[in-house]
Amino acid sequence: MTYACFECGSEVEYDYLIKHKLKCTKCKEKRSNIWVKKRPPVTKTVIAR
Ligand SMILES: [Zn+2]
């Protein structure tokens, strides 16, 4: 599953998020709700509100 940072648009894998504790290493955002599921039109959910 690929996720995209809502702030800077960088795309990362879920494993990457876990590894970095949901922190975006590109824009330094540490909130968990900046990540948006990148893939398919099935479900577009934001992680943890
Ligand atoms: Zn970012």
Side-chain angles (χ1 to χ4, degrees):
M1 186 68 73
T2 304
Y3 287 89
C5 175
F6 184 75
E7 295 291 334
C8 67
S10 63
E11 298 177 17
V12 297
E13 290 298 318
Y14 182 70
D15 288 348
Y16 182 92
L17 295 185
I18 301 303
K19 204 175 298 180
H20 292 271
K21 298 191 169 79
L22 295 178
K23 179 182 179 181
C24 180
T25 52
K26 293 292 195 324
C27 64
K28 311 298 183 190
E29 282 293 341
K30 204 172 186 178
R31 289 173 294 142
S32 58
N33 61 356
I34 58 173
W35 298 106
V36 190
K37 271 183 190 171
K38 189 60 184 179
R39 227 158 271 182
V42 186
T43 45
K44 191 174 182 182
T45 317
V46 177
I47 315 175
R49 272 277 156 112

